[in-house]
Amino acid sequence: MKVAVIGAGAGGLVSARELLREAHEVCVFEQSNQVGGAWVHDSETEDDPLGIQPVKSIHSSLYDSLRTNLPRDLMAFMDYSFDSHGGGDDHWERYPHHNLVLEYLKSFSQHFNIHPLIVFDQRVTNLEVAGDNQWRIKTASGIDECFDAVSVCNGHYTLPYVPELDGASNFKGFFLHSHNYRNPQPFSEQSVAILGAASSGADISREVATVAKKVFWCGEQFNSPTEQVNNGLSRHPIPQGFNQQGELLFRDSAPVSIDSFIFCTGYRYEFSFIGHDIISVTDNQVRPLHMDLVHPAHPTLSFIGLPYLIIPFPLFEMQARWFARLLTGSHQLPTETKMIVDLVARRSDLTKTGSKDRHYHRLGEEQFSYINKLASQCGDNPLPEWYELLAREVQQARFVNPEHYRSVPLHYSGTTVV
Ligand code: FAD
């Protein structure tokens, strides 16, 4: 089949590799001038610090100091190790700096001969159904071409999710989303509130605390009114908003005066190039998708990399393999009706467990069974034993020692030399 891949980040590159392995004809459309997507650091930031309506959008959300939050043996694609045997170096740190992840992805692209298949500086502006089970792709620079199938790999860490805060207009200080955070210097000697306790929130709070006067780190997980972590850094529950004086309000403690507020609240999915008659995003839920992956009515359209709270590269790899093999007919989908019924059932199950709609694509614990299910359906091997053991060990290390987990030795390891 002639297949288009949209995006040359990790998801796009591994999709291209899997499609090639199944002897499909592949063309990768990439809007920028290089591979790597989220791992291409950009020192420039957007003119809108919250990233809601920037004049020029910046794709990457990497801050200067970012090191991976996963060991490189766990991040590696299953058959391309993150060491000197594959696309890395044995001497690299186990949690490498972001520029080494980019190096790994570039090597992957060269090694599997994907580079010649990529058309750079081609932003896809339109993807629509054409006659005879075809997909028509148009780019901003005038390409207009039809394909038998499409893998959408456009990433979902670029458009900030910014929750509303009561009285926000009373605050006269500086609002920023982590998408546009690069380093702590602008916050020197300031009082700063940081909302969000996932990876970026944790890293940025600690980094800002090295130069700021005070950091109020707020997250759903923090229950007690105030918990001092170290000099200047304290943990708080979610703030209630701002009062008339522009001070930050907490339920169980006195209002605080701050200079800056940083949202580390995650990102939104968007597919501006696809009509809402095909795909809609409601409350951050991309619908309708079977296995978070293919469109029930158009099973030649796939979305690689939507799940989050996962170990991304190996999950992308299995999704890509499953789709490449689906196109060759090596495994079959349930009927369209069955896929829709399953989707409705899954939404209702999640609602019963109290999960919010906007967390529909959050896999977390489910990621291992999800990968194994895809593997078994497409005739591949299940995850090796070390994978889940190492993943759980890392999760535990981060929980116990959020500040220094990257230097804690790990008992388990993958095939990569570490
Ligand atoms: P991206 O890498 O974003 O690639 C998408 C590509 O599509 C880009 O090249 C983009 O230019 C292109 N594109 C988009 N729209 C179009 C269009 N219309 N036309 C043509 N091209 C288009 N993961 C880890 O495994 N370990 C970590 O430690 C880790 N840390 C992270 C830290 C931060 C701050 C962030 C934001 C993410 C982190 N991730 C981490 C997740 C990371 O995003 C994934 O690992 C992965 O790189 C995502 O790959 P992707 O291909 O889905 O998207």
Side-chain angles (χ1 to χ4, degrees), residues 319-392:
Q319 288 186 319
R321 190 165 298 159
W322 183 94
F323 182 61
R325 291 181 182 179
L326 179 72
L327 296 181
T328 59
S330 78
H331 64 104
Q332 306 293 321
L333 288 173
T335 63
E336 186 184 341
T337 312
K338 170 87 170 83
M339 288 190 272
I340 299 285
V341 167
D342 288 351
L343 278 179
V344 174
R346 176 160 168 222
R347 272 210 298 275
S348 128
D349 286 351
L350 287 173
T351 310
K352 277 184 212 143
T353 61
S355 173
K356 294 177 190 152
D357 268 5
R358 64 177 234 90
H359 294 153
Y360 183 81
H361 299 289
R362 180 163 76 183
L363 279 192
E365 279 294 306
E366 264 184 80
Q367 64 182 305
F368 310 106
S369 56
Y370 174 84
I371 295 181
N372 284 335
K373 189 167 176 187
L374 291 178
S376 107
Q377 288 175 355
C378 75
D380 210 66
N381 297 324
L383 287 168
E385 201 185 349
W386 63 262
Y387 184 88
E388 192 171 336
L389 293 169
L390 178 58
R392 291 191 187 286

Side-chain angles (χ1 to χ4, degrees), residues 143-176:
I143 292 182
D144 183 345
E145 202 174 338
C146 285
F147 293 85
D148 301 313
V150 178
S151 268
V152 177
C153 312
N154 62 333
H156 54 86
Y157 290 100
T158 292
L159 293 171
Y161 167 68
V162 180
E164 279 187 23
L165 285 176
D166 279 352
S169 60
N170 298 332
F171 176 57
K172 300 301 174 221
F174 180 56
F175 274 125
L176 177 77

Side-chain angles (χ1 to χ4, degrees), residues 185-350:
Q185 262 58 56
F187 306 100
S188 178
E189 291 306 314
Q190 290 195 359
S191 290
V192 185
I194 295 178
L195 177 61
S199 280
S200 299
D203 281 352
I204 293 174
S205 300
R206 289 194 190 91
E207 187 166 83
V208 169
T210 60
V211 300
K213 200 159 55 188
K214 280 185 185 155
V215 172
F216 303 93
W217 180 22
C218 313
E220 255 167 10
Q221 296 89 324
F222 309 145
N223 293 318
S224 56
T226 304
E227 191 189 335
Q228 205 65 30
V229 178
N230 57 34
N231 283 348
L233 175 63
S234 52
R235 292 203 279 225
H236 304 259
I238 303 283
Q240 290 177 301
F242 293 90
N243 64 16
Q244 297 270 324
Q245 291 72 44
E247 295 167 314
L248 194 59
L249 290 172
F250 292 100
R251 202 178 320 110
D252 301 321
S253 55
V256 295
S257 176
I258 55 167
D259 302 296
S260 298
F261 188 104
I262 309 178
F263 289 93
C264 297
T265 41
Y267 295 87
R268 294 181 289 119
Y269 298 98
E270 195 186 69
F271 307 95
S272 56
F273 49 90
I274 311 178
H276 296 315
D277 51 330
I278 300 178
I279 277 289
S280 70
V281 183
T282 315
D283 205 6
N284 223 32
Q285 193 180 132
V286 186
R287 309 182 195 183
L289 287 182
H290 172 65
M291 297 292 286
D292 287 11
L293 191 46
V294 289
H295 196 296
H298 304 284
T300 49
L301 176 63
S302 74
F303 292 76
I304 303 298
L306 293 192
Y308 67 95
L309 214 67
I310 53 156
I311 297 155
F313 292 9
L315 185 133
F316 296 176
E317 186 174 24
M318 191 54 76
Q319 288 186 319
R321 190 165 298 159
W322 183 94
F323 182 61
R325 291 181 182 179
L326 179 72
L327 296 181
T328 59
S330 78
H331 64 104
Q332 306 293 321
L333 288 173
T335 63
E336 186 184 341
T337 312
K338 170 87 170 83
M339 288 190 272
I340 299 285
V341 167
D342 288 351
L343 278 179
V344 174
R346 176 160 168 222
R347 272 210 298 275
S348 128
D349 286 351
L350 287 173

Side-chain angles (χ1 to χ4, degrees), residues 13 17 77 80 104-112 114:
L13 294 174
R17 201 263 320 253
F77 293 115
Y80 192 63
Y104 172 75
L105 290 175
K106 282 183 175 165
S107 309
F108 181 88
S109 176
Q110 299 286 358
H111 182 84
F112 291 102
I114 299 161

